[in-house]
Amino acid sequence: MKKSTTFTNLVQILLKEEDVISILKELNYKDTARKFTAHQLLVFFMHAALGQWGGYRSGVVKAEICGLQTVCFSTFSSKASEVPYELFKRLFHLLISRCNRATKRQLHIPNDLLLVDSTTITVGKTRLPWALFHGERAGIKLHVAFAAATEQPVQVIETIGTVHDGPIGEKLADKDYILVNDRAYGKIKRFDQYVAEKQYFVTRIKENVTLVNPHSLQNRKVETSNVIRDITCYLGTPQCQSELRHRVVIFQDNNGNEIRVATNLVHLSAEEIADTYKARWGIEVFFRWIKQNLNVPVLFGTTMNAVFNQLFAALMTYVILKWLYDHSKSFVILCKRMPLIRFTEQIQHDQLQIEWIIATTKVLEKHVYLSNLKKPVSG
């Protein structure tokens, strides 16, 4: 029986056991297990995401094939509940910093877009009694800041399903980017705050928000434009009104629906503002991808640690696959390139084409080389 896989080796290169041990030490958690460690739990959950396993029980045999210790399913379950999910959350952000380090230096900050939204995962209320949501359902949320340029999450905050998006969105804001988000984040006073903090934003506002004392901007009309109005105005009623005037662009989407967005960007045309908001679809595609391809809606455990350990492991799986795919395809001739979903399937089944094996090897060798350069010299 095969005792290792390409993906197992990949995880061990990018997320070493020393990383796990170091973070656990910071968390004052002592991993006393000899047979099934916290690092092995990480590999288990990442393989479970990649292979879309059905649960702890079905993962017993599959885990052994992936190079993990042979243990009973209850060991997986108890370990997942015991290990603090802060470990996996920190590993996720460590991985993000490693994979995006080279890319971020090439970006034209602050003109890159940061898409902020959340996705909710629901189950029966008896499964997660600590996360009651609506009626008979329980739910948890992942609030994500997603870089449009790299198609990678850059920050994630986890909550139960009843937590409102708006306040969490403020925590995900980043002045190195243009913040793009939907109506749930469109609090009027927040727009004034963003202007004061020099945070660029493009945020959809609700249809019932009053536009006070509008002044039309004298921009030349583009013949094929879907923009209806481009104005500056105060937002809201006297009871809750912005202190500053804000630019509002009103345009039609592809279905003819009217969309209104507020922004503090003055150097872009109305059409560019509309296109910037439309880029928000990228985070919706990301949510759909991880739900369809990384088993995100199938929660194995019932405790907070087990649930968020699994979800952060799934996010790390996406980050690794997308990073390796993006950096490898430049080494592959056009006729041998493939979409990310095909690349993922071939990694999962250990059937990567020879051209891609050579390309991924080059990428990983470069990563290891650069990592070694950063290590302090002992003595």
Side-chain angles (χ1 to χ4, degrees):
M1 183 177 288
K2 194 189 316 181
K3 289 296 181 183
S4 187
T5 67
T6 300
F7 187 67
T8 302
N9 294 333
L10 178 58
V11 172
Q12 291 173 341
I13 289 172
L14 294 173
L15 290 169
K16 300 180 183 298
E17 191 162 10
E18 304 93 86
D19 298 325
V20 174
I21 294 171
S22 175
I23 295 174
L24 286 178
K25 188 174 181 181
E26 293 175 9
L27 296 174
N28 294 317
Y29 175 86
K30 190 172 183 180
D31 192 1
T32 57
R34 295 181 181 178
K35 203 170 187 181
F36 193 70
T37 64
H39 185 261
Q40 288 175 313
L41 177 67
L42 170 69
V43 178
F44 170 85
F45 268 140
M46 293 181 74
H47 270 287
L50 180 66
Q52 301 191 54
W53 298 353
Y56 296 125
R57 222 178 261 273
S58 64
V60 172
V61 175
K62 296 174 182 177
E64 185 179 355
I65 296 173
C66 298
L68 296 174
Q69 294 286 342
T70 304
V71 294
C72 66
F73 76 91
S74 62
T75 301
F76 296 142
S77 176
S78 60
K79 192 72 176 180
S81 296
E82 172 191 319
V83 173
Y85 78 82
E86 181 66 22
L87 165 66
F88 281 28
K89 183 176 181 177
R90 291 197 191 185
L91 285 171
F92 165 74
H93 287 104
L94 174 64
L95 180 64
I96 284 292
S97 67
R98 286 176 175 171
C99 290
N100 289 347
R101 186 183 296 127
T103 307
K104 286 186 74 173
R105 283 199 296 267
Q106 300 170 11
L107 301 181
H108 302 293
I109 293 172
N111 294 325
D112 297 305
L113 307 183
L114 188 68
L115 317 178
V116 171
D117 208 343
S118 70
T119 187
T120 305
I121 299 146
T122 61
V123 295
K125 69 177 184 179
T126 56
R127 289 274 293 158
L128 305 178
W130 49 271
L132 296 181
F133 188 42
H134 295 267
E136 298 300 309
R137 305 297 288 172
I140 54 93
K141 274 186 181 180
L142 295 177
H143 305 261
V144 179
F146 187 81
T150 59
E151 297 182 329
Q152 288 276 25
V154 296
Q155 190 179 357
V156 174
I157 297 175
E158 72 295 338
T159 69
I160 61 173
T162 53
V163 173
H164 293 296
D165 290 342
I168 304 298
E170 291 185 43
K171 297 179 182 179
L172 294 172
D174 188 329
K175 286 184 282 188
D176 285 340
Y177 296 87
I178 298 171
L179 191 63
V180 182
N181 42 31
D182 209 353
R183 287 171 291 193
Y185 303 89
K187 188 176 180 181
I188 292 172
K189 295 300 181 183
R190 191 172 293 128
F191 299 151
D192 289 341
Q193 176 186 330
Y194 285 156
V195 171
E197 295 173 350
K198 298 182 179 179
Q199 168 70 69
Y200 290 122
F201 68 92
V202 176
T203 301
R204 185 174 180 179
I205 57 177
K206 297 178 181 179
E207 289 75 11
N208 61 356
V209 172
T210 305
L211 309 182
V212 181
N213 193 18
H215 172 72
S216 180
L217 296 175
Q218 298 300 317
N219 292 329
R220 188 174 62 181
K221 175 72 175 177
V222 178
E223 188 174 339
T224 58
S225 173
N226 61 349
V227 173
I228 300 171
R229 296 181 74 189
D230 183 11
I231 62 174
T232 66
C233 62
Y234 295 100
L235 299 172
T237 61
Q239 291 76 21
C240 180
Q241 191 173 100
S242 64
E243 296 180 5
L244 304 174
R245 296 182 68 90
H246 296 282
R247 184 183 185 185
V248 174
V249 175
I250 305 173
F251 62 95
Q252 288 183 323
D253 65 12
N254 295 335
N255 297 319
N257 301 313
E258 187 174 290
I259 293 176
R260 308 191 303 171
V261 296
T263 182
N264 57 346
L265 294 171
V266 296
H267 60 286
L268 298 182
S269 68
E271 288 73 24
E272 289 172 322
I273 297 293
D275 288 340
T276 296
Y277 178 76
K278 290 176 185 177
R280 200 191 67 82
W281 180 247
I283 195 169
E284 300 290 353
V285 172
F286 164 71
F287 287 147
R288 182 181 299 177
W289 201 94
I290 62 173
K291 287 184 175 181
Q292 291 180 347
N293 300 293
L294 295 180
N295 217 29
V296 164
V298 182
L299 301 179
F300 291 6
T302 58
T303 67
M304 188 177 292
N305 280 335
V307 168
F308 289 126
N309 276 334
Q310 179 187 344
L311 293 178
F312 276 108
L315 291 173
M316 284 186 272
T317 302
Y318 171 86
V319 170
I320 286 178
L321 291 171
K322 187 70 170 64
W323 174 82
L324 187 61
Y325 170 78
D326 285 344
H327 286 75
S328 299
K329 65 182 179 182
S330 61
F331 295 106
V332 178
I333 59 174
L334 285 175
C335 65
K336 291 294 183 179
R337 292 187 182 180
M338 63 177 108
L340 176 61
I341 183 62
R342 180 81 182 279
F343 176 79
T344 300
E345 291 170 351
Q346 292 192 5
I347 288 280
Q348 176 190 343
H349 299 294
D350 244 3
Q351 296 175 345
L352 207 57
Q353 295 175 7
I354 185 63
E355 294 85 0
W356 281 87
I357 291 175
I358 294 170
T360 55
T361 300
K362 288 180 180 178
V363 171
L364 291 172
E365 285 177 346
K366 181 180 179 181
H367 171 82
V368 171
Y369 172 73
L370 293 176
S371 298
N372 289 335
L373 284 181
K374 291 177 172 55
K375 287 182 179 178
V377 179
S378 60

